[in-house]
Amino acid sequence: MSDDEIILSELSDEDLVLQMHDDLYDGLKEEIEEGVNILLSRNWTPYNVLTKALVEGMRIVGIDFRDGILFVPEVLLAANAMKAGMFILRPLLIETGAPKLGSMVIGTVKGDIHDIGKNLVGMMMEGAGFDVFDLGINTDADEYLAALEEHKPDILGMSALLTTTMPYMKVVIDTMVAKGIRDDYTILVGGAPLNEEFGKAIGADAYCRDAAVAVETAKSYMARKHNQM
Ligand code: B1M
């Protein structure tokens, strides 16, 4: 059967998810949008659609990107298809009616343009009841500091996907220390090349493996903060 003949709505859940991994790999935005809508209509939770169909699809793309089978233009198409799927899920993930817990400034660090993971963390945090101020990509220390001054958030979140850009997180934290404001914020960091040890070494409060961990970590820091008051 050729790809043209595949009718997504006729596939079982399992086959549809596998097909969506292929469609994400091929950067097929409309097919991804259709797949997301079909899974939602089959009562899949937005979180399951996100993690099982989209994030898992992007994980597969990442492997072939690493191995030199896919190149930047193809990965960009895959990223655009993923973002189209996330665009549908966003309102469902953020409108949970959760009570307000606090606020967060988040951005991808200077030199780094990867924003899918950061966007996902932002959405999940909003869904959990945090106000999120998203500084976008390629954020330098001055921009982070200006946003902290403006929004006075509880949490600063930083994302980095490159081994060459992750050290910039320490530049931001060191700048905060130098200005005497480090302890005014909980600093959470994340991104594929990071780990707990790195988070500790740069002086962050915690490293978050994924968006769900970011939410849980943020909640527990907020609970501690309220207990101290
Ligand atoms: Co890039 N890229 N990329 N890329 N890219 C990686 C990161 C890479 C690992 C691919 C590989 O080789 N296997 C590799 C980095 C290698 C390294 O440094 N060790 C790489 C490279 C090399 C590059 C370029 C240098 C390629 C080139 O130009 N030759 C270039 C760099 C551009 C730049 O930033 N200056 C580049 C460009 C791109 C695209 C533009 C094509 C595109 C980005 C599109 C976009 O984001 N708008 C892209 C993509 C898509 C990827 C991969 C394939 C997928 C990243 C992604 O979106 N994952 C990636 C492979 C990989 O990560 N394995 C790769 C899905 C997302 C949901 O997961 O981002 O990990 P993730 O986020 C997770 C967690 O990490 C965590 O929660 C998220 C959700 O669960 N998390 C946080 C993330 N941020 C957090 C912040 C927090 C908390 C948790 O704060 C509290």
Side-chain angles (χ1 to χ4, degrees), residues 111-139:
D112 201 320
I113 63 168
H114 295 86
D115 66 354
I116 293 176
K118 183 256 306 157
N119 294 349
L120 216 150
V121 171
M123 281 185 210
M124 298 274 296
M125 289 289 291
E126 284 188 86
F130 287 84
D131 286 328
V132 174
F133 304 99
D134 188 341
L135 308 182
I137 54 174
N138 198 20
T139 313

PDB file of all heavy atoms in Angstrom, residues 111-139:
ATOM      1  N   GLY A 111      22.830  31.404  22.080  1.00  0.00           N
ATOM      2  CA  GLY A 111      23.522  30.536  21.119  1.00  0.00           C
ATOM      3  C   GLY A 111      22.718  29.311  20.723  1.00  0.00           C
ATOM      4  O   GLY A 111      23.129  28.552  19.842  1.00  0.00           O
ATOM      5  N   ASP A 112      21.571  29.138  21.354  1.00  0.00           N
ATOM      6  CA  ASP A 112      20.783  27.917  21.164  1.00  0.00           C
ATOM      7  C   ASP A 112      19.383  28.266  20.658  1.00  0.00           C
ATOM      8  O   ASP A 112      18.709  29.117  21.249  1.00  0.00           O
ATOM      9  CB  ASP A 112      20.683  27.189  22.525  1.00  0.00           C
ATOM     10  CG  ASP A 112      20.355  25.722  22.388  1.00  0.00           C
ATOM     11  OD1 ASP A 112      19.519  25.387  21.518  1.00  0.00           O
ATOM     12  OD2 ASP A 112      20.912  24.916  23.147  1.00  0.00           O
ATOM     13  N   ILE A 113      18.982  27.597  19.552  1.00  0.00           N
ATOM     14  CA  ILE A 113      17.663  27.935  18.984  1.00  0.00           C
ATOM     15  C   ILE A 113      16.645  26.803  19.164  1.00  0.00           C
ATOM     16  O   ILE A 113      15.550  26.852  18.610  1.00  0.00           O
ATOM     17  CB  ILE A 113      17.768  28.324  17.493  1.00  0.00           C
ATOM     18  CG1 ILE A 113      18.285  27.147  16.659  1.00  0.00           C
ATOM     19  CG2 ILE A 113      18.664  29.547  17.317  1.00  0.00           C
ATOM     20  CD1 ILE A 113      18.145  27.356  15.157  1.00  0.00           C
ATOM     21  N   HIS A 114      17.011  25.763  19.899  1.00  0.00           N
ATOM     22  CA  HIS A 114      16.058  24.666  20.128  1.00  0.00           C
ATOM     23  C   HIS A 114      14.976  25.148  21.088  1.00  0.00           C
ATOM     24  O   HIS A 114      15.286  25.581  22.200  1.00  0.00           O
ATOM     25  CB  HIS A 114      16.772  23.462  20.748  1.00  0.00           C
ATOM     26  CG  HIS A 114      17.786  22.844  19.842  1.00  0.00           C
ATOM     27  ND1 HIS A 114      19.080  23.289  19.771  1.00  0.00           N
ATOM     28  CD2 HIS A 114      17.685  21.826  18.951  1.00  0.00           C
ATOM     29  CE1 HIS A 114      19.746  22.563  18.883  1.00  0.00           C
ATOM     30  NE2 HIS A 114      18.920  21.661  18.357  1.00  0.00           N
ATOM     31  N   ASP A 115      13.722  25.034  20.685  1.00  0.00           N
ATOM     32  CA  ASP A 115      12.677  25.548  21.594  1.00  0.00           C
ATOM     33  C   ASP A 115      11.513  24.596  21.845  1.00  0.00           C
ATOM     34  O   ASP A 115      10.604  24.917  22.599  1.00  0.00           O
ATOM     35  CB  ASP A 115      12.155  26.911  21.108  1.00  0.00           C
ATOM     36  CG  ASP A 115      11.424  26.836  19.778  1.00  0.00           C
ATOM     37  OD1 ASP A 115      11.416  25.750  19.156  1.00  0.00           O
ATOM     38  OD2 ASP A 115      10.862  27.858  19.362  1.00  0.00           O
ATOM     39  N   ILE A 116      11.539  23.418  21.229  1.00  0.00           N
ATOM     40  CA  ILE A 116      10.385  22.520  21.387  1.00  0.00           C
ATOM     41  C   ILE A 116      10.240  22.066  22.840  1.00  0.00           C
ATOM     42  O   ILE A 116       9.153  22.148  23.428  1.00  0.00           O
ATOM     43  CB  ILE A 116      10.504  21.313  20.429  1.00  0.00           C
ATOM     44  CG1 ILE A 116      10.383  21.817  18.989  1.00  0.00           C
ATOM     45  CG2 ILE A 116       9.449  20.263  20.729  1.00  0.00           C
ATOM     46  CD1 ILE A 116      10.566  20.754  17.933  1.00  0.00           C
ATOM     47  N   GLY A 117      11.356  21.612  23.422  1.00  0.00           N
ATOM     48  CA  GLY A 117      11.308  21.148  24.814  1.00  0.00           C
ATOM     49  C   GLY A 117      10.931  22.269  25.768  1.00  0.00           C
ATOM     50  O   GLY A 117      10.101  22.095  26.667  1.00  0.00           O
ATOM     51  N   LYS A 118      11.532  23.438  25.542  1.00  0.00           N
ATOM     52  CA  LYS A 118      11.227  24.602  26.398  1.00  0.00           C
ATOM     53  C   LYS A 118       9.740  24.975  26.282  1.00  0.00           C
ATOM     54  O   LYS A 118       9.074  25.247  27.290  1.00  0.00           O
ATOM     55  CB  LYS A 118      12.123  25.767  25.962  1.00  0.00           C
ATOM     56  CG  LYS A 118      12.011  27.039  26.764  1.00  0.00           C
ATOM     57  CD  LYS A 118      11.232  28.122  26.075  1.00  0.00           C
ATOM     58  CE  LYS A 118      11.670  28.490  24.698  1.00  0.00           C
ATOM     59  NZ  LYS A 118      10.580  29.126  23.933  1.00  0.00           N
ATOM     60  N   ASN A 119       9.217  24.935  25.057  1.00  0.00           N
ATOM     61  CA  ASN A 119       7.793  25.261  24.872  1.00  0.00           C
ATOM     62  C   ASN A 119       6.899  24.247  25.605  1.00  0.00           C
ATOM     63  O   ASN A 119       5.885  24.608  26.209  1.00  0.00           O
ATOM     64  CB  ASN A 119       7.417  25.254  23.384  1.00  0.00           C
ATOM     65  CG  ASN A 119       8.122  26.361  22.611  1.00  0.00           C
ATOM     66  OD1 ASN A 119       8.715  27.246  23.217  1.00  0.00           O
ATOM     67  ND2 ASN A 119       8.071  26.317  21.302  1.00  0.00           N
ATOM     68  N   LEU A 120       7.340  23.011  25.519  1.00  0.00           N
ATOM     69  CA  LEU A 120       6.561  21.957  26.177  1.00  0.00           C
ATOM     70  C   LEU A 120       6.553  22.126  27.705  1.00  0.00           C
ATOM     71  O   LEU A 120       5.517  21.976  28.354  1.00  0.00           O
ATOM     72  CB  LEU A 120       7.248  20.650  25.804  1.00  0.00           C
ATOM     73  CG  LEU A 120       6.434  19.437  25.567  1.00  0.00           C
ATOM     74  CD1 LEU A 120       7.140  18.575  24.557  1.00  0.00           C
ATOM     75  CD2 LEU A 120       6.292  18.717  26.861  1.00  0.00           C
ATOM     76  N   VAL A 121       7.718  22.471  28.233  1.00  0.00           N
ATOM     77  CA  VAL A 121       7.804  22.721  29.682  1.00  0.00           C
ATOM     78  C   VAL A 121       6.877  23.891  30.036  1.00  0.00           C
ATOM     79  O   VAL A 121       6.103  23.820  31.000  1.00  0.00           O
ATOM     80  CB  VAL A 121       9.257  23.033  30.115  1.00  0.00           C
ATOM     81  CG1 VAL A 121       9.312  23.501  31.565  1.00  0.00           C
ATOM     82  CG2 VAL A 121      10.139  21.807  29.928  1.00  0.00           C
ATOM     83  N   GLY A 122       6.920  24.952  29.223  1.00  0.00           N
ATOM     84  CA  GLY A 122       6.057  26.111  29.469  1.00  0.00           C
ATOM     85  C   GLY A 122       4.588  25.731  29.500  1.00  0.00           C
ATOM     86  O   GLY A 122       3.840  26.137  30.401  1.00  0.00           O
ATOM     87  N   MET A 123       4.174  24.925  28.526  1.00  0.00           N
ATOM     88  CA  MET A 123       2.759  24.507  28.461  1.00  0.00           C
ATOM     89  C   MET A 123       2.343  23.714  29.690  1.00  0.00           C
ATOM     90  O   MET A 123       1.295  23.931  30.276  1.00  0.00           O
ATOM     91  CB  MET A 123       2.549  23.562  27.268  1.00  0.00           C
ATOM     92  CG  MET A 123       2.446  24.204  25.947  1.00  0.00           C
ATOM     93  SD  MET A 123       2.069  22.823  24.836  1.00  0.00           S
ATOM     94  CE  MET A 123       2.817  23.406  23.392  1.00  0.00           C
ATOM     95  N   MET A 124       3.219  22.761  30.056  1.00  0.00           N
ATOM     96  CA  MET A 124       2.882  21.901  31.200  1.00  0.00           C
ATOM     97  C   MET A 124       2.857  22.717  32.489  1.00  0.00           C
ATOM     98  O   MET A 124       2.045  22.464  33.375  1.00  0.00           O
ATOM     99  CB  MET A 124       3.908  20.770  31.333  1.00  0.00           C
ATOM    100  CG  MET A 124       3.957  19.858  30.138  1.00  0.00           C
ATOM    101  SD  MET A 124       2.754  18.540  30.239  1.00  0.00           S
ATOM    102  CE  MET A 124       3.326  17.662  31.661  1.00  0.00           C
ATOM    103  N   MET A 125       3.749  23.676  32.586  1.00  0.00           N
ATOM    104  CA  MET A 125       3.774  24.534  33.783  1.00  0.00           C
ATOM    105  C   MET A 125       2.498  25.372  33.833  1.00  0.00           C
ATOM    106  O   MET A 125       1.898  25.542  34.902  1.00  0.00           O
ATOM    107  CB  MET A 125       5.005  25.442  33.759  1.00  0.00           C
ATOM    108  CG  MET A 125       6.315  24.733  33.989  1.00  0.00           C
ATOM    109  SD  MET A 125       6.546  24.150  35.689  1.00  0.00           S
ATOM    110  CE  MET A 125       6.742  25.695  36.560  1.00  0.00           C
ATOM    111  N   GLU A 126       2.078  25.895  32.687  1.00  0.00           N
ATOM    112  CA  GLU A 126       0.832  26.674  32.663  1.00  0.00           C
ATOM    113  C   GLU A 126      -0.343  25.792  33.081  1.00  0.00           C
ATOM    114  O   GLU A 126      -1.202  26.216  33.858  1.00  0.00           O
ATOM    115  CB  GLU A 126       0.605  27.256  31.270  1.00  0.00           C
ATOM    116  CG  GLU A 126       1.478  28.452  30.964  1.00  0.00           C
ATOM    117  CD  GLU A 126       1.092  29.121  29.658  1.00  0.00           C
ATOM    118  OE1 GLU A 126       0.195  29.972  29.647  1.00  0.00           O
ATOM    119  OE2 GLU A 126       1.706  28.759  28.627  1.00  0.00           O
ATOM    120  N   GLY A 127      -0.344  24.572  32.555  1.00  0.00           N
ATOM    121  CA  GLY A 127      -1.422  23.638  32.891  1.00  0.00           C
ATOM    122  C   GLY A 127      -1.457  23.317  34.374  1.00  0.00           C
ATOM    123  O   GLY A 127      -2.504  23.041  34.950  1.00  0.00           O
ATOM    124  N   ALA A 128      -0.276  23.376  35.016  1.00  0.00           N
ATOM    125  CA  ALA A 128      -0.199  23.052  36.450  1.00  0.00           C
ATOM    126  C   ALA A 128      -0.523  24.264  37.314  1.00  0.00           C
ATOM    127  O   ALA A 128      -0.522  24.171  38.538  1.00  0.00           O
ATOM    128  CB  ALA A 128       1.199  22.528  36.777  1.00  0.00           C
ATOM    129  N   GLY A 129      -0.746  25.428  36.677  1.00  0.00           N
ATOM    130  CA  GLY A 129      -1.155  26.603  37.461  1.00  0.00           C
ATOM    131  C   GLY A 129      -0.084  27.678  37.610  1.00  0.00           C
ATOM    132  O   GLY A 129      -0.219  28.551  38.467  1.00  0.00           O
ATOM    133  N   PHE A 130       0.954  27.609  36.789  1.00  0.00           N
ATOM    134  CA  PHE A 130       1.984  28.658  36.859  1.00  0.00           C
ATOM    135  C   PHE A 130       1.771  29.675  35.734  1.00  0.00           C
ATOM    136  O   PHE A 130       1.427  29.291  34.614  1.00  0.00           O
ATOM    137  CB  PHE A 130       3.387  28.046  36.712  1.00  0.00           C
ATOM    138  CG  PHE A 130       3.839  27.278  37.922  1.00  0.00           C
ATOM    139  CD1 PHE A 130       3.466  25.946  38.105  1.00  0.00           C
ATOM    140  CD2 PHE A 130       4.623  27.877  38.897  1.00  0.00           C
ATOM    141  CE1 PHE A 130       3.872  25.232  39.226  1.00  0.00           C
ATOM    142  CE2 PHE A 130       5.038  27.182  40.019  1.00  0.00           C
ATOM    143  CZ  PHE A 130       4.649  25.856  40.185  1.00  0.00           C
ATOM    144  N   ASP A 131       1.986  30.949  36.039  1.00  0.00           N
ATOM    145  CA  ASP A 131       2.074  31.950  34.984  1.00  0.00           C
ATOM    146  C   ASP A 131       3.455  31.809  34.375  1.00  0.00           C
ATOM    147  O   ASP A 131       4.451  31.758  35.112  1.00  0.00           O
ATOM    148  CB  ASP A 131       1.920  33.369  35.555  1.00  0.00           C
ATOM    149  CG  ASP A 131       0.479  33.646  35.940  1.00  0.00           C
ATOM    150  OD1 ASP A 131      -0.426  33.113  35.276  1.00  0.00           O
ATOM    151  OD2 ASP A 131       0.269  34.376  36.935  1.00  0.00           O
ATOM    152  N   VAL A 132       3.513  31.744  33.054  1.00  0.00           N
ATOM    153  CA  VAL A 132       4.802  31.518  32.397  1.00  0.00           C
ATOM    154  C   VAL A 132       5.144  32.689  31.482  1.00  0.00           C
ATOM    155  O   VAL A 132       4.335  33.085  30.637  1.00  0.00           O
ATOM    156  CB  VAL A 132       4.771  30.198  31.584  1.00  0.00           C
ATOM    157  CG1 VAL A 132       6.063  30.032  30.784  1.00  0.00           C
ATOM    158  CG2 VAL A 132       4.581  29.007  32.515  1.00  0.00           C
ATOM    159  N   PHE A 133       6.335  33.239  31.689  1.00  0.00           N
ATOM    160  CA  PHE A 133       6.828  34.315  30.828  1.00  0.00           C
ATOM    161  C   PHE A 133       7.958  33.723  29.989  1.00  0.00           C
ATOM    162  O   PHE A 133       9.025  33.406  30.518  1.00  0.00           O
ATOM    163  CB  PHE A 133       7.324  35.498  31.671  1.00  0.00           C
ATOM    164  CG  PHE A 133       6.258  36.009  32.602  1.00  0.00           C
ATOM    165  CD1 PHE A 133       6.234  35.634  33.940  1.00  0.00           C
ATOM    166  CD2 PHE A 133       5.240  36.833  32.129  1.00  0.00           C
ATOM    167  CE1 PHE A 133       5.238  36.070  34.801  1.00  0.00           C
ATOM    168  CE2 PHE A 133       4.237  37.283  32.991  1.00  0.00           C
ATOM    169  CZ  PHE A 133       4.226  36.896  34.322  1.00  0.00           C
ATOM    170  N   ASP A 134       7.666  33.547  28.711  1.00  0.00           N
ATOM    171  CA  ASP A 134       8.590  32.832  27.822  1.00  0.00           C
ATOM    172  C   ASP A 134       9.450  33.827  27.049  1.00  0.00           C
ATOM    173  O   ASP A 134       8.930  34.623  26.265  1.00  0.00           O
ATOM    174  CB  ASP A 134       7.775  31.967  26.862  1.00  0.00           C
ATOM    175  CG  ASP A 134       8.651  31.051  26.025  1.00  0.00           C
ATOM    176  OD1 ASP A 134       9.861  31.302  25.914  1.00  0.00           O
ATOM    177  OD2 ASP A 134       8.102  30.075  25.483  1.00  0.00           O
ATOM    178  N   LEU A 135      10.762  33.748  27.263  1.00  0.00           N
ATOM    179  CA  LEU A 135      11.677  34.695  26.621  1.00  0.00           C
ATOM    180  C   LEU A 135      12.140  34.202  25.253  1.00  0.00           C
ATOM    181  O   LEU A 135      12.924  34.878  24.586  1.00  0.00           O
ATOM    182  CB  LEU A 135      12.892  34.939  27.522  1.00  0.00           C
ATOM    183  CG  LEU A 135      12.575  35.336  28.967  1.00  0.00           C
ATOM    184  CD1 LEU A 135      13.861  35.601  29.737  1.00  0.00           C
ATOM    185  CD2 LEU A 135      11.670  36.561  29.014  1.00  0.00           C
ATOM    186  N   GLY A 136      11.690  33.020  24.849  1.00  0.00           N
ATOM    187  CA  GLY A 136      12.059  32.506  23.527  1.00  0.00           C
ATOM    188  C   GLY A 136      13.429  31.869  23.517  1.00  0.00           C
ATOM    189  O   GLY A 136      13.863  31.292  24.519  1.00  0.00           O
ATOM    190  N   ILE A 137      14.119  32.000  22.381  1.00  0.00           N
ATOM    191  CA  ILE A 137      15.415  31.326  22.194  1.00  0.00           C
ATOM    192  C   ILE A 137      16.558  32.334  22.308  1.00  0.00           C
ATOM    193  O   ILE A 137      16.305  33.538  22.377  1.00  0.00           O
ATOM    194  CB  ILE A 137      15.468  30.653  20.800  1.00  0.00           C
ATOM    195  CG1 ILE A 137      15.137  31.684  19.706  1.00  0.00           C
ATOM    196  CG2 ILE A 137      14.530  29.475  20.740  1.00  0.00           C
ATOM    197  CD1 ILE A 137      15.305  31.171  18.292  1.00  0.00           C
ATOM    198  N   ASN A 138      17.797  31.812  22.340  1.00  0.00           N
ATOM    199  CA  ASN A 138      18.981  32.677  22.236  1.00  0.00           C
ATOM    200  C   ASN A 138      18.949  33.806  23.278  1.00  0.00           C
ATOM    201  O   ASN A 138      19.193  34.964  22.949  1.00  0.00           O
ATOM    202  CB  ASN A 138      19.017  33.239  20.806  1.00  0.00           C
ATOM    203  CG  ASN A 138      20.383  33.781  20.439  1.00  0.00           C
ATOM    204  OD1 ASN A 138      21.391  33.429  21.069  1.00  0.00           O
ATOM    205  ND2 ASN A 138      20.427  34.633  19.445  1.00  0.00           N
ATOM    206  N   THR A 139      18.650  33.431  24.521  1.00  0.00           N
ATOM    207  CA  THR A 139      18.453  34.437  25.573  1.00  0.00           C
ATOM    208  C   THR A 139      19.762  34.720  26.308  1.00  0.00           C
ATOM    209  O   THR A 139      20.388  33.792  26.845  1.00  0.00           O
ATOM    210  CB  THR A 139      17.423  33.903  26.606  1.00  0.00           C
ATOM    211  OG1 THR A 139      16.308  33.373  25.885  1.00  0.00           O
ATOM    212  CG2 THR A 139      16.954  35.005  27.537  1.00  0.00           C
TER     213      THR A 139
END
